Amino acid sequence: MKRPAYATDKVLKTFIKNALEEDIQDGDHSTLSTIPKDLKQSAKLLVKQDCILAGVELAEIIFKTFDKDLKVEVFIKDGKAAKVGDVALTVTGSARSILSTERLVLNCMQRMSGIATLTHDWDSRLVGTKTKLLDTRKTTPNFRVCEKWAVAIGGGTNHRYGLYDMIMLKDNHIDYNGSITNAVKMAKDYVKSTKKKLKIEVETRNLKEVKEAIKAKVDRIMLDNMSVSMMKQAVEMINGSCESEASGGITRDMLKEIASTGVTYISAGALTHSAENIDLSLKAVK
């Protein structure tokens, strides 16, 4: 699949540089002390748990960033199903380079594959509906690019990437400001004065707030921690005047029922904060 726009070369290079610096600092002394400088070897990335594989393209970038002479052969691409015993890729070149990048590659791919697998499972529950599955900003600091990329690989849709690319007026914004009406007016004035192209979303907690948000004319209304019956009433009130998003305490078992209300989106932090890592390993080819 095409790499998301936010996963730019610049962003990924910065992430990789910081991650390698954290791990290696003044040297991978285990490798430097035991592996000859000119030794060439190969390693295979072994799948040890059924999954939707993710992080393959990132692995290639990590290997090449560390050592441009490493050669990577990919057998299973991002977003494809992988089974126990499959070899996802092989990497050939400097044994030192392979060993020094092994853990970073595995950490990224194990985490990303876990998120992609969970997202794929949840998204499959929405097949046949018009509702799309969204992630949230409940991500690991400095690892967001990888986690959101994994959601996209798994078939989910990315919500806003950060605080800068959408205005979302949540409960605290509204409570600090006094009302949805006041907060939305100020947000619209801000967008106009700064000439930024930002959509405005408002979080609502009850039908009274939904009505106020509709009147304020926003781009999306979040239905936060509402019962399914209340969500259904809210969607009927919105009546297509803007997008709607169900959020708060979402579980896999609730997806179909929530989608039946007609909401545009369902957002779930669980996609990134509750996914379990997939077991992968990088083994020397003997």
Side-chain angles (χ1 to χ4, degrees), residues 9-24:
D9 288 343
K10 181 180 179 181
V11 168
L12 293 179
K13 284 180 180 179
T14 299
F15 162 71
I16 293 167
K17 176 181 178 295
N18 291 339
L20 289 171
E21 172 65 22
E22 177 184 57
D23 202 25
I24 298 174

Side-chain angles (χ1 to χ4, degrees), residues 1-55:
M1 64 169 290
K2 185 178 179 181
R3 194 198 312 173
Y6 52 78
T8 63
D9 288 343
K10 181 180 179 181
V11 168
L12 293 179
K13 284 180 180 179
T14 299
F15 162 71
I16 293 167
K17 176 181 178 295
N18 291 339
L20 289 171
E21 172 65 22
E22 177 184 57
D23 202 25
I24 298 174
Q25 297 204 23
D26 72 336
D28 172 5
H29 302 303
S30 303
T31 295
L32 292 172
S33 64
T34 60
I35 305 299
K37 184 177 181 180
D38 58 354
L39 181 64
K40 305 293 183 185
Q41 289 289 348
S42 294
K44 59 184 178 182
L45 197 142
L46 187 64
V47 178
K48 300 170 75 175
Q49 187 177 349
D50 293 354
C51 66
I52 299 298
L53 203 64

Side-chain angles (χ1 to χ4, degrees), residues 21-189:
E21 172 65 22
E22 177 184 57
D23 202 25
I24 298 174
Q25 297 204 23
D26 72 336
D28 172 5
H29 302 303
S30 303
T31 295
L32 292 172
S33 64
T34 60
I35 305 299
K37 184 177 181 180
D38 58 354
L39 181 64
K40 305 293 183 185
Q41 289 289 348
S42 294
K44 59 184 178 182
L45 197 142
L46 187 64
V47 178
K48 300 170 75 175
Q49 187 177 349
D50 293 354
C51 66
I52 299 298
L53 203 64
V56 178
E57 183 180 352
L58 178 59
E60 291 184 85
I61 297 170
I62 291 170
F63 284 132
K64 291 289 187 179
T65 298
F66 188 81
D67 182 346
K68 62 181 178 58
D69 293 326
L70 287 176
K71 299 186 184 305
V72 181
E73 186 174 6
V74 174
F75 303 111
I76 305 175
K77 294 183 178 181
D78 283 323
K80 300 298 183 181
K83 295 184 179 298
V84 174
D86 284 347
V87 175
L89 60 82
T90 58
V91 56
T92 302
S94 164
R96 284 187 172 185
S97 295
I98 292 171
L99 289 167
S100 293
T101 52
E102 173 185 1
R103 179 43 55 195
L104 177 57
V105 166
L106 288 174
N107 284 349
C108 291
M109 288 195 64
Q110 288 176 321
R111 181 76 183 133
M112 290 179 71
S113 296
I115 291 170
T117 301
L118 181 63
T119 301
H120 181 268
D121 177 54
W122 281 43
D123 194 54
S124 67
R125 305 279 292 178
L126 298 177
V127 172
T129 75
K130 294 181 179 180
T131 303
K132 293 183 178 181
L133 182 65
L134 297 178
D135 56 17
T136 71
R137 284 173 50 247
K138 293 178 181 177
T139 54
T140 307
N142 297 320
F143 199 62
R144 181 177 301 177
V145 62
C146 301
E147 293 181 338
K148 280 187 170 280
W149 189 358
V151 168
I153 289 171
T157 301
N158 293 139
H159 206 316
R160 59 176 178 164
Y161 185 76
L163 294 172
Y164 65 89
D165 59 347
M166 183 180 192
I167 291 178
M168 183 187 290
L169 305 176
K170 296 179 72 66
D171 54 355
N172 285 337
H173 294 96
I174 294 162
D175 290 343
Y176 284 160
N177 190 274
S179 72
I180 288 174
T181 303
N182 290 340
V184 172
K185 182 183 183 305
M186 291 182 72
K188 287 183 176 181
D189 288 345

Side-chain angles (χ1 to χ4, degrees), residues 159 166 168-169 180 184 200-224 226 231 234-235 237-247 263-265 267:
H159 206 316
M166 183 180 192
M168 183 187 290
L169 305 176
I180 288 174
V184 172
I200 299 174
E201 178 172 3
V202 171
E203 179 180 304
T204 60
R205 296 162 284 193
N206 52 57
L207 296 180
K208 180 181 177 182
E209 290 187 345
V210 170
K211 185 176 181 180
E212 186 178 358
I214 293 170
K215 189 175 180 180
K217 296 183 179 179
V218 295
D219 297 291
R220 187 184 303 173
I221 297 175
M222 178 190 289
L223 312 176
D224 186 54
M226 292 186 184
M231 284 184 202
V235 172
M237 289 170 62
I238 294 168
N239 193 29
S241 62
C242 66
E243 297 175 333
S244 55
E245 175 188 334
S247 184
V263 290
T264 316
Y265 301 105
S267 61

